[in-house]
Amino acid sequence: MRSGASSSASVVTVQPRGMRLRVLSRDGGWTEVVDPKTDQKGWIFRRYIKASGPPSDVQQTEPSTTGLTQQRALF
């Protein structure tokens, strides 16, 4: 995960394959996520994640305070 939506942003952590993260927002090809276990936030390029959960491979949760619907992603 990176600190910003750019390949030049610093790496804040490396997530293991199969890690479940919560989607916060999107910016171009980047997805902002948070690790629900540690509350650590970061950005991952979209091709490195896949949506998880039925019915359309995206699990909807309660609307966030930003007005975006939160989703879960599998890294």
Side-chain angles (χ1 to χ4, degrees), residues 20-21 23 26 49-61 70-75:
R20 291 187 181 270
L21 305 168
V23 173
R26 291 188 174 86
I49 60 174
K50 69 176 182 177
S52 67
S56 62
D57 291 334
V58 175
Q59 181 178 352
Q60 302 289 333
T61 60
Q70 294 179 0
Q71 300 171 338
R72 298 194 189 281
L74 183 63
F75 178 70

Side-chain angles (χ1 to χ4, degrees), residues 28-49:
W30 292 86
T31 302
E32 184 182 24
V33 296
V34 63
D35 181 338
K37 293 181 181 180
T38 65
D39 288 329
Q40 185 169 28
K41 294 179 184 178
W43 292 84
I44 299 175
F45 195 68
R46 193 172 291 174
R47 78 173 177 176
Y48 295 115
I49 60 174

